[in-house]
Amino acid sequence: MCERRWRPEFDVDLDAVLAPLRRGHADPCFRRDGGVWLTANTAGGPATLRLSRSDVDIVGIAWGDGAEAVLDGLPALLGADDDDSGFVSHHDAVARARRALPRLRLGATRRVWDVLVPAVLEQKVTGYEARRSWRELCRRFGEPAPGPAPGGMRVPPTPAAVLSIVDWNWHRSGVDSARRRALRAAATVAGRLEEAVSLGGAEGRRLLRTVPGIGVWTAAEVAQRAWGDADAVSFGDFHIPAVVGHALLGRELDDAGMHEVLAPYAPHRHRVVRYLEAAGHTRPRYGPRYPIRDYRAI
């Protein structure tokens, strides 16, 4: 076990900064119990991290071979590297959200693989389907969380574990052939993909997109979490253009329209989306929903 006490120079909202890492209420890699528990794969091995607040300090306690690595990354994880200088609100909705959420920051795990797997699983399926597959893969192919973690917590499957999965186990986990091919392709070059963190920005996203099956949307979802990319918009998302359009213009937008309306915010376009989502803006609930499928029954 290792422990670190960190006193940030800004007020940290643990729930807000870590929310993008949680994949549903039953995420086996993320739990709350008054503090926040996370699991991770690091270059040194698996780790469990518990974060809590003690007066003005953030207390991190970690277990496993990767304990020191996750504690070293604690400030970045909680947004210490996030720089919103130069940000200007061009819409009332954004200005209101920014005033209401002064502690909202973009955190960075500084690791690609653990956020890439669930991002690929979320490609072109409902959130329900993706979260179910994530739980199944972690339960079957992820290691038990090191240390005294809450029951059922697992470490995300490693690249080697993903490459070991046979077709019928992919099927049992509800993962179709396109997503399994993307995951296997990424697993074969997982070490190289970690270099995207040091590249950052558009160059980091471009490196991720060299993997077959990883496009603009998936690269953005990874960049937002792995290096806190403030400009990585999830173009191609089923919901986000509608959220942005209704929040800023009072009407539906497509990707092209969202690109246009967010252009003045560069290099903080994702930050705008994050403000709007955290402020409670959602897609209006009308029209057909994306159908929930169960690939295990096919």
Side-chain angles (χ1 to χ4, degrees):
M1 182 188 81
C2 302
E3 180 174 333
R4 176 178 182 178
R5 299 179 73 93
W6 175 59
R7 182 166 297 181
E9 297 179 355
F10 53 91
D11 193 8
V12 175
D13 184 336
L14 284 177
D15 288 339
V17 74
L18 297 174
L21 300 179
R22 191 180 192 185
R23 309 291 178 159
H25 293 294
D27 187 346
C29 303
F30 189 115
R31 296 287 169 82
R32 290 193 179 102
D33 67 349
V36 179
W37 293 82
L38 303 164
T39 60
N41 289 296
T42 75
T48 300
L49 172 66
R50 186 180 189 274
L51 297 170
S52 61
R53 188 184 298 276
S54 176
D55 297 324
V56 296
D57 292 343
I58 301 297
V59 179
I61 305 175
W63 297 263
D65 292 339
E68 291 187 5
V70 293
L71 290 178
D72 287 345
L74 190 154
L77 179 66
L78 298 182
D81 296 337
D82 187 25
D83 181 8
D84 66 353
S85 59
F87 183 89
V88 177
S89 299
H90 298 284
H91 297 85
D92 289 343
V94 177
R96 288 193 299 270
R98 188 167 168 83
R99 287 194 299 270
L101 300 162
R103 298 188 296 164
L104 184 65
R105 302 179 75 88
L106 304 180
T109 66
R110 310 303 295 173
R111 295 180 304 278
V112 166
W113 176 255
D114 286 353
V115 294
L116 183 146
V117 175
V120 171
L121 292 176
E122 291 171 1
Q123 292 177 351
K124 298 182 180 180
V125 297
T126 65
Y128 177 88
E129 293 170 85
R131 291 189 293 269
R132 181 178 60 198
S133 293
W134 173 241
R135 292 192 302 269
E136 285 290 307
L137 289 178
C138 290
R139 182 174 66 85
R140 295 175 183 276
F141 303 103
E143 294 184 23
M153 286 200 76
R154 312 289 288 190
V155 179
T158 64
V162 164
L163 289 173
S164 75
I165 302 174
V166 297
D167 282 350
W168 69 273
N169 271 327
W170 284 116
H171 188 76
R172 288 181 65 184
S173 299
V175 183
D176 60 90
S177 58
R179 289 179 294 157
R180 73 182 71 165
R181 284 196 301 270
L183 285 171
R184 289 184 62 85
T188 62
V189 292
R192 167 71 171 143
L193 295 183
E194 295 297 332
E195 298 176 15
V197 173
S198 57
L199 290 172
E203 285 299 312
R205 283 177 262 140
R206 191 171 296 115
L207 173 58
L208 297 179
R209 295 200 306 272
T210 61
V211 177
I214 295 181
V216 171
W217 182 89
T218 306
E221 291 285 309
V222 173
Q224 293 159 15
R225 295 161 174 83
W227 62 87
D229 193 330
D231 204 43
V233 181
S234 301
F235 290 109
D237 193 89
F238 185 67
H239 299 284
I240 290 175
V243 172
V244 172
H246 282 277
L248 303 187
L249 303 178
R251 59 182 173 85
E252 199 93 358
L253 286 177
D254 57 12
D255 265 0
M258 180 171 69
H259 187 282
E260 181 178 354
V261 78
L262 291 180
Y265 289 100
H268 296 283
R269 294 176 298 170
H270 168 61
R271 190 183 306 278
V272 172
V273 176
R274 187 78 186 92
Y275 271 129
L276 296 177
E277 291 179 328
H281 291 279
T282 60
R283 178 190 178 99
R285 295 183 178 275
Y286 56 76
R289 293 188 176 185
Y290 207 78
I292 296 176
R293 296 163 293 185
D294 189 346
Y295 287 100
R296 298 170 301 179
I298 297 174

PDB file of all heavy atoms in Angstrom, residues 73-109:
ATOM      1  N   GLY A  73       0.352  10.058 -10.883  1.00  0.00           N
ATOM      2  CA  GLY A  73      -0.554  10.702 -11.827  1.00  0.00           C
ATOM      3  C   GLY A  73      -1.759  11.363 -11.197  1.00  0.00           C
ATOM      4  O   GLY A  73      -2.631  11.871 -11.910  1.00  0.00           O
ATOM      5  N   LEU A  74      -1.808  11.406  -9.865  1.00  0.00           N
ATOM      6  CA  LEU A  74      -2.991  11.931  -9.175  1.00  0.00           C
ATOM      7  C   LEU A  74      -3.304  13.384  -9.553  1.00  0.00           C
ATOM      8  O   LEU A  74      -4.455  13.719  -9.851  1.00  0.00           O
ATOM      9  CB  LEU A  74      -2.806  11.771  -7.666  1.00  0.00           C
ATOM     10  CG  LEU A  74      -4.006  12.026  -6.746  1.00  0.00           C
ATOM     11  CD1 LEU A  74      -3.840  11.240  -5.449  1.00  0.00           C
ATOM     12  CD2 LEU A  74      -4.162  13.504  -6.423  1.00  0.00           C
ATOM     13  N   PRO A  75      -2.335  14.308  -9.547  1.00  0.00           N
ATOM     14  CA  PRO A  75      -2.678  15.689  -9.915  1.00  0.00           C
ATOM     15  C   PRO A  75      -3.280  15.813 -11.318  1.00  0.00           C
ATOM     16  O   PRO A  75      -4.286  16.505 -11.509  1.00  0.00           O
ATOM     17  CB  PRO A  75      -1.337  16.422  -9.808  1.00  0.00           C
ATOM     18  CG  PRO A  75      -0.553  15.621  -8.823  1.00  0.00           C
ATOM     19  CD  PRO A  75      -0.925  14.192  -9.107  1.00  0.00           C
ATOM     20  N   ALA A  76      -2.678  15.141 -12.298  1.00  0.00           N
ATOM     21  CA  ALA A  76      -3.209  15.208 -13.664  1.00  0.00           C
ATOM     22  C   ALA A  76      -4.606  14.612 -13.735  1.00  0.00           C
ATOM     23  O   ALA A  76      -5.487  15.133 -14.431  1.00  0.00           O
ATOM     24  CB  ALA A  76      -2.271  14.481 -14.629  1.00  0.00           C
ATOM     25  N   LEU A  77      -4.817  13.516 -13.017  1.00  0.00           N
ATOM     26  CA  LEU A  77      -6.122  12.865 -13.006  1.00  0.00           C
ATOM     27  C   LEU A  77      -7.205  13.824 -12.540  1.00  0.00           C
ATOM     28  O   LEU A  77      -8.341  13.776 -13.025  1.00  0.00           O
ATOM     29  CB  LEU A  77      -6.074  11.640 -12.085  1.00  0.00           C
ATOM     30  CG  LEU A  77      -7.364  10.840 -11.923  1.00  0.00           C
ATOM     31  CD1 LEU A  77      -7.752  10.165 -13.234  1.00  0.00           C
ATOM     32  CD2 LEU A  77      -7.210   9.802 -10.815  1.00  0.00           C
ATOM     33  N   LEU A  78      -6.867  14.716 -11.611  1.00  0.00           N
ATOM     34  CA  LEU A  78      -7.848  15.635 -11.033  1.00  0.00           C
ATOM     35  C   LEU A  78      -7.808  17.025 -11.661  1.00  0.00           C
ATOM     36  O   LEU A  78      -8.404  17.960 -11.131  1.00  0.00           O
ATOM     37  CB  LEU A  78      -7.640  15.720  -9.527  1.00  0.00           C
ATOM     38  CG  LEU A  78      -7.831  14.389  -8.780  1.00  0.00           C
ATOM     39  CD1 LEU A  78      -7.644  14.580  -7.291  1.00  0.00           C
ATOM     40  CD2 LEU A  78      -9.198  13.778  -9.079  1.00  0.00           C
ATOM     41  N   GLY A  79      -7.130  17.146 -12.804  1.00  0.00           N
ATOM     42  CA  GLY A  79      -7.229  18.383 -13.573  1.00  0.00           C
ATOM     43  C   GLY A  79      -6.138  19.400 -13.352  1.00  0.00           C
ATOM     44  O   GLY A  79      -6.274  20.549 -13.789  1.00  0.00           O
ATOM     45  N   ALA A  80      -5.028  19.026 -12.720  1.00  0.00           N
ATOM     46  CA  ALA A  80      -3.966  19.998 -12.457  1.00  0.00           C
ATOM     47  C   ALA A  80      -3.333  20.525 -13.738  1.00  0.00           C
ATOM     48  O   ALA A  80      -2.798  21.642 -13.760  1.00  0.00           O
ATOM     49  CB  ALA A  80      -2.894  19.371 -11.564  1.00  0.00           C
ATOM     50  N   ASP A  81      -3.367  19.736 -14.807  1.00  0.00           N
ATOM     51  CA  ASP A  81      -2.758  20.165 -16.070  1.00  0.00           C
ATOM     52  C   ASP A  81      -3.749  20.880 -16.978  1.00  0.00           C
ATOM     53  O   ASP A  81      -3.388  21.311 -18.080  1.00  0.00           O
ATOM     54  CB  ASP A  81      -2.186  18.952 -16.820  1.00  0.00           C
ATOM     55  CG  ASP A  81      -1.055  18.281 -16.055  1.00  0.00           C
ATOM     56  OD1 ASP A  81      -0.429  18.961 -15.216  1.00  0.00           O
ATOM     57  OD2 ASP A  81      -0.805  17.089 -16.291  1.00  0.00           O
ATOM     58  N   ASP A  82      -4.985  21.003 -16.549  1.00  0.00           N
ATOM     59  CA  ASP A  82      -6.022  21.626 -17.380  1.00  0.00           C
ATOM     60  C   ASP A  82      -5.825  23.143 -17.407  1.00  0.00           C
ATOM     61  O   ASP A  82      -5.725  23.782 -16.361  1.00  0.00           O
ATOM     62  CB  ASP A  82      -7.398  21.284 -16.825  1.00  0.00           C
ATOM     63  CG  ASP A  82      -8.525  21.767 -17.731  1.00  0.00           C
ATOM     64  OD1 ASP A  82      -8.280  21.924 -18.943  1.00  0.00           O
ATOM     65  OD2 ASP A  82      -9.639  21.976 -17.224  1.00  0.00           O
ATOM     66  N   ASP A  83      -5.794  23.711 -18.591  1.00  0.00           N
ATOM     67  CA  ASP A  83      -5.567  25.145 -18.758  1.00  0.00           C
ATOM     68  C   ASP A  83      -6.706  25.740 -19.587  1.00  0.00           C
ATOM     69  O   ASP A  83      -6.807  25.477 -20.781  1.00  0.00           O
ATOM     70  CB  ASP A  83      -4.222  25.377 -19.446  1.00  0.00           C
ATOM     71  CG  ASP A  83      -3.905  26.852 -19.645  1.00  0.00           C
ATOM     72  OD1 ASP A  83      -4.654  27.707 -19.124  1.00  0.00           O
ATOM     73  OD2 ASP A  83      -2.909  27.155 -20.331  1.00  0.00           O
ATOM     74  N   ASP A  84      -7.560  26.522 -18.936  1.00  0.00           N
ATOM     75  CA  ASP A  84      -8.676  27.123 -19.662  1.00  0.00           C
ATOM     76  C   ASP A  84      -8.444  28.599 -19.951  1.00  0.00           C
ATOM     77  O   ASP A  84      -9.393  29.339 -20.241  1.00  0.00           O
ATOM     78  CB  ASP A  84      -9.990  26.942 -18.896  1.00  0.00           C
ATOM     79  CG  ASP A  84     -10.015  27.703 -17.577  1.00  0.00           C
ATOM     80  OD1 ASP A  84      -8.968  28.262 -17.197  1.00  0.00           O
ATOM     81  OD2 ASP A  84     -11.085  27.733 -16.947  1.00  0.00           O
ATOM     82  N   SER A  85      -7.192  29.029 -19.894  1.00  0.00           N
ATOM     83  CA  SER A  85      -6.899  30.429 -20.203  1.00  0.00           C
ATOM     84  C   SER A  85      -7.292  30.731 -21.643  1.00  0.00           C
ATOM     85  O   SER A  85      -7.102  29.924 -22.544  1.00  0.00           O
ATOM     86  CB  SER A  85      -5.414  30.721 -19.983  1.00  0.00           C
ATOM     87  OG  SER A  85      -4.607  29.887 -20.800  1.00  0.00           O
ATOM     88  N   GLY A  86      -7.841  31.883 -21.842  1.00  0.00           N
ATOM     89  CA  GLY A  86      -8.286  32.274 -23.173  1.00  0.00           C
ATOM     90  C   GLY A  86      -9.695  31.842 -23.509  1.00  0.00           C
ATOM     91  O   GLY A  86     -10.210  32.178 -24.578  1.00  0.00           O
ATOM     92  N   PHE A  87     -10.338  31.102 -22.595  1.00  0.00           N
ATOM     93  CA  PHE A  87     -11.698  30.656 -22.870  1.00  0.00           C
ATOM     94  C   PHE A  87     -12.662  31.836 -22.786  1.00  0.00           C
ATOM     95  O   PHE A  87     -12.636  32.608 -21.823  1.00  0.00           O
ATOM     96  CB  PHE A  87     -12.130  29.570 -21.885  1.00  0.00           C
ATOM     97  CG  PHE A  87     -13.493  29.005 -22.159  1.00  0.00           C
ATOM     98  CD1 PHE A  87     -13.647  27.921 -22.996  1.00  0.00           C
ATOM     99  CD2 PHE A  87     -14.631  29.579 -21.595  1.00  0.00           C
ATOM    100  CE1 PHE A  87     -14.901  27.405 -23.261  1.00  0.00           C
ATOM    101  CE2 PHE A  87     -15.889  29.069 -21.855  1.00  0.00           C
ATOM    102  CZ  PHE A  87     -16.022  27.980 -22.691  1.00  0.00           C
ATOM    103  N   VAL A  88     -13.515  31.963 -23.799  1.00  0.00           N
ATOM    104  CA  VAL A  88     -14.529  33.017 -23.845  1.00  0.00           C
ATOM    105  C   VAL A  88     -15.865  32.381 -24.150  1.00  0.00           C
ATOM    106  O   VAL A  88     -15.986  31.565 -25.081  1.00  0.00           O
ATOM    107  CB  VAL A  88     -14.198  34.070 -24.927  1.00  0.00           C
ATOM    108  CG1 VAL A  88     -15.306  35.116 -25.013  1.00  0.00           C
ATOM    109  CG2 VAL A  88     -12.859  34.743 -24.629  1.00  0.00           C
ATOM    110  N   SER A  89     -16.880  32.737 -23.387  1.00  0.00           N
ATOM    111  CA  SER A  89     -18.239  32.219 -23.624  1.00  0.00           C
ATOM    112  C   SER A  89     -18.916  33.054 -24.698  1.00  0.00           C
ATOM    113  O   SER A  89     -19.075  34.270 -24.547  1.00  0.00           O
ATOM    114  CB  SER A  89     -19.054  32.265 -22.328  1.00  0.00           C
ATOM    115  OG  SER A  89     -18.470  31.462 -21.332  1.00  0.00           O
ATOM    116  N   HIS A  90     -19.321  32.401 -25.783  1.00  0.00           N
ATOM    117  CA  HIS A  90     -19.994  33.101 -26.880  1.00  0.00           C
ATOM    118  C   HIS A  90     -21.509  32.915 -26.853  1.00  0.00           C
ATOM    119  O   HIS A  90     -22.202  33.456 -27.712  1.00  0.00           O
ATOM    120  CB  HIS A  90     -19.446  32.600 -28.222  1.00  0.00           C
ATOM    121  CG  HIS A  90     -17.986  32.858 -28.410  1.00  0.00           C
ATOM    122  ND1 HIS A  90     -17.472  34.100 -28.722  1.00  0.00           N
ATOM    123  CD2 HIS A  90     -16.916  32.022 -28.307  1.00  0.00           C
ATOM    124  CE1 HIS A  90     -16.155  34.019 -28.827  1.00  0.00           C
ATOM    125  NE2 HIS A  90     -15.789  32.781 -28.585  1.00  0.00           N
ATOM    126  N   HIS A  91     -22.012  32.124 -25.898  1.00  0.00           N
ATOM    127  CA  HIS A  91     -23.449  31.881 -25.777  1.00  0.00           C
ATOM    128  C   HIS A  91     -23.843  31.985 -24.305  1.00  0.00           C
ATOM    129  O   HIS A  91     -23.064  31.606 -23.421  1.00  0.00           O
ATOM    130  CB  HIS A  91     -23.824  30.491 -26.313  1.00  0.00           C
ATOM    131  CG  HIS A  91     -23.541  30.305 -27.773  1.00  0.00           C
ATOM    132  ND1 HIS A  91     -22.298  29.922 -28.233  1.00  0.00           N
ATOM    133  CD2 HIS A  91     -24.347  30.441 -28.866  1.00  0.00           C
ATOM    134  CE1 HIS A  91     -22.337  29.825 -29.559  1.00  0.00           C
ATOM    135  NE2 HIS A  91     -23.562  30.139 -29.961  1.00  0.00           N
ATOM    136  N   ASP A  92     -25.047  32.451 -24.070  1.00  0.00           N
ATOM    137  CA  ASP A  92     -25.525  32.601 -22.696  1.00  0.00           C
ATOM    138  C   ASP A  92     -25.519  31.278 -21.943  1.00  0.00           C
ATOM    139  O   ASP A  92     -25.189  31.230 -20.754  1.00  0.00           O
ATOM    140  CB  ASP A  92     -26.936  33.198 -22.683  1.00  0.00           C
ATOM    141  CG  ASP A  92     -26.946  34.663 -23.081  1.00  0.00           C
ATOM    142  OD1 ASP A  92     -25.867  35.297 -23.050  1.00  0.00           O
ATOM    143  OD2 ASP A  92     -28.030  35.172 -23.435  1.00  0.00           O
ATOM    144  N   ALA A  93     -25.903  30.189 -22.622  1.00  0.00           N
ATOM    145  CA  ALA A  93     -25.968  28.887 -21.956  1.00  0.00           C
ATOM    146  C   ALA A  93     -24.593  28.453 -21.467  1.00  0.00           C
ATOM    147  O   ALA A  93     -24.455  27.865 -20.387  1.00  0.00           O
ATOM    148  CB  ALA A  93     -26.559  27.837 -22.891  1.00  0.00           C
ATOM    149  N   VAL A  94     -23.579  28.737 -22.250  1.00  0.00           N
ATOM    150  CA  VAL A  94     -22.218  28.381 -21.848  1.00  0.00           C
ATOM    151  C   VAL A  94     -21.769  29.255 -20.682  1.00  0.00           C
ATOM    152  O   VAL A  94     -21.167  28.766 -19.717  1.00  0.00           O
ATOM    153  CB  VAL A  94     -21.254  28.515 -23.041  1.00  0.00           C
ATOM    154  CG1 VAL A  94     -19.816  28.211 -22.599  1.00  0.00           C
ATOM    155  CG2 VAL A  94     -21.665  27.591 -24.176  1.00  0.00           C
ATOM    156  N   ALA A  95     -22.068  30.545 -20.747  1.00  0.00           N
ATOM    157  CA  ALA A  95     -21.684  31.453 -19.660  1.00  0.00           C
ATOM    158  C   ALA A  95     -22.364  31.046 -18.357  1.00  0.00           C
ATOM    159  O   ALA A  95     -21.730  31.062 -17.289  1.00  0.00           O
ATOM    160  CB  ALA A  95     -22.064  32.885 -20.034  1.00  0.00           C
ATOM    161  N   ARG A  96     -23.641  30.683 -18.434  1.00  0.00           N
ATOM    162  CA  ARG A  96     -24.350  30.259 -17.222  1.00  0.00           C
ATOM    163  C   ARG A  96     -23.746  28.985 -16.655  1.00  0.00           C
ATOM    164  O   ARG A  96     -23.562  28.845 -15.438  1.00  0.00           O
ATOM    165  CB  ARG A  96     -25.840  30.049 -17.519  1.00  0.00           C
ATOM    166  CG  ARG A  96     -26.614  31.336 -17.753  1.00  0.00           C
ATOM    167  CD  ARG A  96     -28.114  31.068 -17.709  1.00  0.00           C
ATOM    168  NE  ARG A  96     -28.530  30.121 -18.735  1.00  0.00           N
ATOM    169  CZ  ARG A  96     -28.907  30.466 -19.966  1.00  0.00           C
ATOM    170  NH1 ARG A  96     -28.907  31.753 -20.322  1.00  0.00           N
ATOM    171  NH2 ARG A  96     -29.282  29.564 -20.848  1.00  0.00           N
ATOM    172  N   ALA A  97     -23.442  28.027 -17.521  1.00  0.00           N
ATOM    173  CA  ALA A  97     -22.854  26.758 -17.057  1.00  0.00           C
ATOM    174  C   ALA A  97     -21.489  26.998 -16.430  1.00  0.00           C
ATOM    175  O   ALA A  97     -21.147  26.403 -15.401  1.00  0.00           O
ATOM    176  CB  ALA A  97     -22.741  25.781 -18.229  1.00  0.00           C
ATOM    177  N   ARG A  98     -20.716  27.868 -17.001  1.00  0.00           N
ATOM    178  CA  ARG A  98     -19.375  28.155 -16.475  1.00  0.00           C
ATOM    179  C   ARG A  98     -19.458  28.821 -15.099  1.00  0.00           C
ATOM    180  O   ARG A  98     -18.664  28.496 -14.199  1.00  0.00           O
ATOM    181  CB  ARG A  98     -18.622  29.039 -17.466  1.00  0.00           C
ATOM    182  CG  ARG A  98     -17.156  29.262 -17.129  1.00  0.00           C
ATOM    183  CD  ARG A  98     -16.453  29.868 -18.334  1.00  0.00           C
ATOM    184  NE  ARG A  98     -15.138  30.382 -18.046  1.00  0.00           N
ATOM    185  CZ  ARG A  98     -14.024  29.654 -17.997  1.00  0.00           C
ATOM    186  NH1 ARG A  98     -14.085  28.356 -18.207  1.00  0.00           N
ATOM    187  NH2 ARG A  98     -12.855  30.220 -17.756  1.00  0.00           N
ATOM    188  N   ARG A  99     -20.427  29.712 -14.932  1.00  0.00           N
ATOM    189  CA  ARG A  99     -20.595  30.348 -13.620  1.00  0.00           C
ATOM    190  C   ARG A  99     -21.090  29.343 -12.581  1.00  0.00           C
ATOM    191  O   ARG A  99     -20.686  29.385 -11.410  1.00  0.00           O
ATOM    192  CB  ARG A  99     -21.586  31.503 -13.722  1.00  0.00           C
ATOM    193  CG  ARG A  99     -21.048  32.732 -14.423  1.00  0.00           C
ATOM    194  CD  ARG A  99     -21.943  33.930 -14.184  1.00  0.00           C
ATOM    195  NE  ARG A  99     -23.292  33.724 -14.690  1.00  0.00           N
ATOM    196  CZ  ARG A  99     -23.695  34.032 -15.906  1.00  0.00           C
ATOM    197  NH1 ARG A  99     -22.836  34.568 -16.768  1.00  0.00           N
ATOM    198  NH2 ARG A  99     -24.947  33.825 -16.290  1.00  0.00           N
ATOM    199  N   ALA A 100     -21.962  28.429 -13.020  1.00  0.00           N
ATOM    200  CA  ALA A 100     -22.540  27.459 -12.088  1.00  0.00           C
ATOM    201  C   ALA A 100     -21.563  26.351 -11.720  1.00  0.00           C
ATOM    202  O   ALA A 100     -21.736  25.690 -10.683  1.00  0.00           O
ATOM    203  CB  ALA A 100     -23.805  26.847 -12.691  1.00  0.00           C
ATOM    204  N   LEU A 101     -20.545  26.140 -12.556  1.00  0.00           N
ATOM    205  CA  LEU A 101     -19.618  25.020 -12.357  1.00  0.00           C
ATOM    206  C   LEU A 101     -18.168  25.513 -12.332  1.00  0.00           C
ATOM    207  O   LEU A 101     -17.347  25.093 -13.153  1.00  0.00           O
ATOM    208  CB  LEU A 101     -19.806  23.991 -13.488  1.00  0.00           C
ATOM    209  CG  LEU A 101     -21.203  23.379 -13.609  1.00  0.00           C
ATOM    210  CD1 LEU A 101     -21.399  22.742 -14.965  1.00  0.00           C
ATOM    211  CD2 LEU A 101     -21.426  22.359 -12.498  1.00  0.00           C
ATOM    212  N   PRO A 102     -17.836  26.372 -11.389  1.00  0.00           N
ATOM    213  CA  PRO A 102     -16.479  26.940 -11.386  1.00  0.00           C
ATOM    214  C   PRO A 102     -15.392  25.918 -11.090  1.00  0.00           C
ATOM    215  O   PRO A 102     -14.217  26.166 -11.365  1.00  0.00           O
ATOM    216  CB  PRO A 102     -16.551  28.005 -10.281  1.00  0.00           C
ATOM    217  CG  PRO A 102     -17.625  27.506  -9.359  1.00  0.00           C
ATOM    218  CD  PRO A 102     -18.650  26.867 -10.264  1.00  0.00           C
ATOM    219  N   ARG A 103     -15.758  24.758 -10.515  1.00  0.00           N
ATOM    220  CA  ARG A 103     -14.750  23.743 -10.156  1.00  0.00           C
ATOM    221  C   ARG A 103     -14.590  22.668 -11.220  1.00  0.00           C
ATOM    222  O   ARG A 103     -13.819  21.726 -11.035  1.00  0.00           O
ATOM    223  CB  ARG A 103     -15.127  23.087  -8.828  1.00  0.00           C
ATOM    224  CG  ARG A 103     -15.163  24.060  -7.654  1.00  0.00           C
ATOM    225  CD  ARG A 103     -15.348  23.319  -6.344  1.00  0.00           C
ATOM    226  NE  ARG A 103     -16.637  22.638  -6.285  1.00  0.00           N
ATOM    227  CZ  ARG A 103     -16.941  21.682  -5.413  1.00  0.00           C
ATOM    228  NH1 ARG A 103     -16.032  21.273  -4.541  1.00  0.00           N
ATOM    229  NH2 ARG A 103     -18.140  21.136  -5.407  1.00  0.00           N
ATOM    230  N   LEU A 104     -15.312  22.796 -12.334  1.00  0.00           N
ATOM    231  CA  LEU A 104     -15.235  21.767 -13.373  1.00  0.00           C
ATOM    232  C   LEU A 104     -13.909  21.856 -14.122  1.00  0.00           C
ATOM    233  O   LEU A 104     -13.558  22.899 -14.672  1.00  0.00           O
ATOM    234  CB  LEU A 104     -16.395  21.927 -14.356  1.00  0.00           C
ATOM    235  CG  LEU A 104     -16.497  20.855 -15.438  1.00  0.00           C
ATOM    236  CD1 LEU A 104     -16.805  19.497 -14.811  1.00  0.00           C
ATOM    237  CD2 LEU A 104     -17.574  21.218 -16.464  1.00  0.00           C
ATOM    238  N   ARG A 105     -13.171  20.773 -14.112  1.00  0.00           N
ATOM    239  CA  ARG A 105     -11.899  20.704 -14.817  1.00  0.00           C
ATOM    240  C   ARG A 105     -11.850  19.420 -15.637  1.00  0.00           C
ATOM    241  O   ARG A 105     -12.619  18.479 -15.395  1.00  0.00           O
ATOM    242  CB  ARG A 105     -10.722  20.735 -13.831  1.00  0.00           C
ATOM    243  CG  ARG A 105     -10.695  21.977 -12.944  1.00  0.00           C
ATOM    244  CD  ARG A 105      -9.531  21.961 -11.982  1.00  0.00           C
ATOM    245  NE  ARG A 105      -8.274  22.250 -12.647  1.00  0.00           N
ATOM    246  CZ  ARG A 105      -7.787  23.495 -12.828  1.00  0.00           C
ATOM    247  NH1 ARG A 105      -8.469  24.530 -12.401  1.00  0.00           N
ATOM    248  NH2 ARG A 105      -6.630  23.683 -13.418  1.00  0.00           N
ATOM    249  N   LEU A 106     -10.944  19.376 -16.586  1.00  0.00           N
ATOM    250  CA  LEU A 106     -10.753  18.195 -17.419  1.00  0.00           C
ATOM    251  C   LEU A 106      -9.571  17.403 -16.886  1.00  0.00           C
ATOM    252  O   LEU A 106      -8.432  17.870 -16.924  1.00  0.00           O
ATOM    253  CB  LEU A 106     -10.517  18.598 -18.879  1.00  0.00           C
ATOM    254  CG  LEU A 106     -11.599  19.467 -19.511  1.00  0.00           C
ATOM    255  CD1 LEU A 106     -11.246  19.785 -20.962  1.00  0.00           C
ATOM    256  CD2 LEU A 106     -12.966  18.783 -19.445  1.00  0.00           C
ATOM    257  N   GLY A 107      -9.842  16.216 -16.382  1.00  0.00           N
ATOM    258  CA  GLY A 107      -8.787  15.367 -15.859  1.00  0.00           C
ATOM    259  C   GLY A 107      -8.142  14.539 -16.952  1.00  0.00           C
ATOM    260  O   GLY A 107      -8.644  14.432 -18.074  1.00  0.00           O
ATOM    261  N   ALA A 108      -7.012  13.919 -16.607  1.00  0.00           N
ATOM    262  CA  ALA A 108      -6.250  13.109 -17.569  1.00  0.00           C
ATOM    263  C   ALA A 108      -5.694  11.884 -16.862  1.00  0.00           C
ATOM    264  O   ALA A 108      -4.930  12.011 -15.907  1.00  0.00           O
ATOM    265  CB  ALA A 108      -5.111  13.927 -18.173  1.00  0.00           C
ATOM    266  N   THR A 109      -6.060  10.696 -17.354  1.00  0.00           N
ATOM    267  CA  THR A 109      -5.532   9.472 -16.749  1.00  0.00           C
ATOM    268  C   THR A 109      -4.074   9.253 -17.117  1.00  0.00           C
ATOM    269  O   THR A 109      -3.367   8.512 -16.433  1.00  0.00           O
ATOM    270  CB  THR A 109      -6.329   8.245 -17.217  1.00  0.00           C
ATOM    271  OG1 THR A 109      -6.126   8.065 -18.627  1.00  0.00           O
ATOM    272  CG2 THR A 109      -7.820   8.400 -16.918  1.00  0.00           C
TER     273      THR A 109
END
